[in-house]
Amino acid sequence: MRYGVLGTGEVGRTLAGRLVELGHEVTLGSRTKDNPVAQEWATAAAGRAHAGTFAEAAAAGELIINAVSGRVALDALRAAGAEHLDGKVLVDVSNPLAFEDGQPRLDPVESDSVGEQIQRAFPHARVVKSLNTVNCQVMVDPGRVPGAHNVFVSGDDAGAKAQVTALLGEFGWPAARVLDLGGIRSARAVEMYLPLWLTLFRNSGSADFNIEVRRAG
Amino acid sequence: MRYGVLGTGEVGRTLAGRLVELGHEVTLGSRTKDNPVAQEWATAAAGRAHAGTFAEAAAAGELIINAVSGRVALDALRAAGAEHLDGKVLVDVSNPLAFEDGQPRLDPVESDSVGEQIQRAFPHARVVKSLNTVNCQVMVDPGRVPGAHNVFVSGDDAGAKAQVTALLGEFGWPAARVLDLGGIRSARAVEMYLPLWLTLFRNSGSADFNIEVRRAG
């Protein structure tokens, strides 16, 4: 399958690299055509790995992954172009995080979410929020963490969520561990989990953790 | 030990009832002296169970539990009186939740928390945020949920957190499952977890669940 991954940071490179390993054709998109990080990645990954602009990555991908920060996600997706997103599954793995005076701050928060912003701005994209609750190494290799820990999907399009669940399966997440939270509005819930994730990370010093939802019966 | 539990809702009655069962002397505090719910509870629980005003409950307790909604916590604690809180461990189990147009809304959120508000307003109380991440039935009986799921403590006073950890042990939470998140500022993290809790609750229809933090190594 052909993927467009937007964002050349650690998250984008990790997701794109794993997709190439899995046999997919991947274009890693950045703001500029000659982004050295993206070009180096494409050279190193070789073969099925390509570098391009946001628009080139979105045009090339059958499925698009937003891996830029939630703070700039709309800008990146506007640069990618609605015409390259319409009708496609668009996985948003971002968090709207910034640090102000050393404190994590989320924007939007609580009455809105990046997932919802993207769906509103691109009504014909099939937006699915997922994976933002774990570190990128865990995203593509959940076996780094013991136990039947969970990942979440939020989105208004059931077919899109099924496609993302299949992708998660390729990364190593069994379908039973993928919890469907409902419509894209539930992206608020997983984005607001970030402060707890950051607190647990700061206290342990390791990003190799996740939560498992335990239920009676 | 003598406990003052503020709030006659389901959370307050459940905590107070379990404390009486465990052999403690408990005063359940409400806004008014003649609150019928509190009086009925005290009559039913009998012996070590008492009903009173917020001030009477706070005066009677060696350890105080705030079990009113986070939205009215400061009002209840002002009614309780700083002179009855100073130097005491004050466990805040509340969430600043209200529903607006059917949507859960938190206030404060993100840049502040109820836990911090209480600590600022009552600087001589030894505030510990805990238990707000689970339903009240699970608070006092974690065995309702399978697995080594976790509860959190946040607070600036290490001795107070140790006392609360001991109390949690009486409720059935082994110390190894009590995760110390750090200072009272980390109350933000657990209060912002509430939307995820609510989403999981809505999707499953049962409040008998909790999260277990899974770590590598």
Side-chain angles (χ1 to χ4, degrees):
Chain A
M1 191 156 160
R2 297 194 313 277
Y3 285 86
V5 177
L6 310 184
T8 59
E10 191 190 351
V11 179
R13 293 198 312 274
T14 301
L15 288 166
R18 183 68 188 130
L19 287 167
V20 169
E21 285 176 0
L22 288 166
H24 299 291
E25 196 84 15
V26 181
T27 304
L28 186 62
S30 62
R31 195 164 288 107
T32 56
K33 196 173 179 61
D34 54 356
N35 179 306
V37 172
Q39 292 188 325
E40 184 187 328
W41 173 82
T43 305
R48 296 178 300 275
H50 315 279
T53 62
F54 288 139
E56 287 167 341
E62 300 164 279
L63 189 151
I64 315 301
I65 299 178
N66 172 50
V68 304
S69 164
R71 296 279 182 129
V72 296
L74 288 177
D75 286 344
L77 291 165
R78 285 191 198 103
E83 69 275 23
H84 299 136
L85 303 172
D86 285 0
K88 295 181 184 174
V89 174
L90 170 53
V91 188
D92 173 36
V93 307
S94 75
N95 282 301
L97 178 69
F99 285 87
E100 296 172 9
D101 301 326
Q103 291 301 316
R105 299 299 305 268
L106 299 180
D107 180 23
V109 68
E110 207 257 342
S111 60
D112 201 2
S113 62
V114 180
E116 290 165 276
Q117 285 182 331
I118 294 173
Q119 186 63 84
R120 283 199 306 273
F122 302 94
H124 303 298
R126 303 161 69 200
V127 179
V128 178
K129 184 95 197 182
S130 191
L131 285 172
N132 68 303
T133 54
V134 290
N135 174 268
C136 60
Q137 301 297 334
V138 178
M139 289 182 187
V140 299
D141 185 9
R144 293 171 72 98
V145 177
H149 52 95
N150 296 107
V151 69
F152 306 98
V153 290
S154 302
D156 294 336
D157 184 316
K161 287 191 281 194
Q163 275 193 57
V164 174
T165 300
L167 168 60
L168 294 169
E170 290 191 66
F171 285 154
W173 298 92
R177 283 165 51 189
V178 180
L179 301 185
D180 184 346
L181 294 180
I184 193 64
R185 195 192 288 261
S186 61
R188 294 178 196 183
V190 285
E191 293 181 15
M192 290 176 77
Y193 165 74
L194 186 64
L196 183 55
W197 187 93
L198 286 168
T199 303
L200 291 166
F201 170 62
R202 194 183 55 215
N203 289 0
S204 75
S206 166
D208 278 339
F209 69 88
N210 191 18
I211 55 171
E212 177 174 346
V213 178
R214 294 289 210 159
R215 292 184 190 284
Chain B
M1 192 156 160
R2 296 193 314 276
Y3 285 86
V5 177
L6 310 184
T8 59
E10 190 190 352
V11 179
R13 294 197 312 274
T14 302
L15 288 166
R18 184 68 188 129
L19 287 167
V20 169
E21 286 176 2
L22 288 165
H24 299 292
E25 196 85 13
V26 181
T27 304
L28 186 62
S30 63
R31 194 164 288 107
T32 55
K33 195 172 180 63
D34 54 355
N35 179 305
V37 172
Q39 292 190 324
E40 184 186 328
W41 173 84
T43 306
R48 295 178 300 276
H50 315 279
T53 62
F54 287 139
E56 287 167 340
E62 299 164 281
L63 189 152
I64 313 301
I65 299 177
N66 172 50
V68 303
S69 165
R71 297 279 182 127
V72 296
L74 288 177
D75 286 344
L77 290 165
R78 285 192 197 103
E83 68 275 22
H84 298 135
L85 302 172
D86 285 0
K88 295 181 183 175
V89 175
L90 169 54
V91 188
D92 173 36
V93 306
S94 75
N95 283 301
L97 178 70
F99 285 86
E100 295 172 10
D101 300 327
Q103 291 301 316
R105 300 298 305 267
L106 298 181
D107 181 22
V109 68
E110 209 257 341
S111 59
D112 201 2
S113 61
V114 180
E116 290 165 275
Q117 286 182 330
I118 293 173
Q119 186 64 83
R120 284 199 305 274
F122 301 94
H124 303 298
R126 303 162 68 200
V127 178
V128 177
K129 185 93 196 184
S130 192
L131 285 173
N132 68 302
T133 55
V134 290
N135 173 269
C136 61
Q137 301 297 333
V138 178
M139 289 182 188
V140 299
D141 185 9
R144 293 172 72 98
V145 177
H149 52 96
N150 296 107
V151 69
F152 306 99
V153 290
S154 302
D156 295 336
D157 184 315
K161 286 192 281 195
Q163 275 194 56
V164 173
T165 300
L167 168 60
L168 293 170
E170 290 191 65
F171 285 154
W173 298 92
R177 284 166 51 191
V178 180
L179 300 184
D180 185 345
L181 294 180
I184 193 65
R185 196 192 286 260
S186 61
R188 294 178 195 182
V190 285
E191 293 182 16
M192 289 176 76
Y193 164 75
L194 186 65
L196 183 56
W197 187 93
L198 287 168
T199 303
L200 292 167
F201 170 61
R202 193 185 55 215
N203 290 359
S204 76
S206 165
D208 278 338
F209 70 88
N210 191 20
I211 55 172
E212 176 173 347
V213 178
R214 293 290 210 159
R215 293 185 190 282

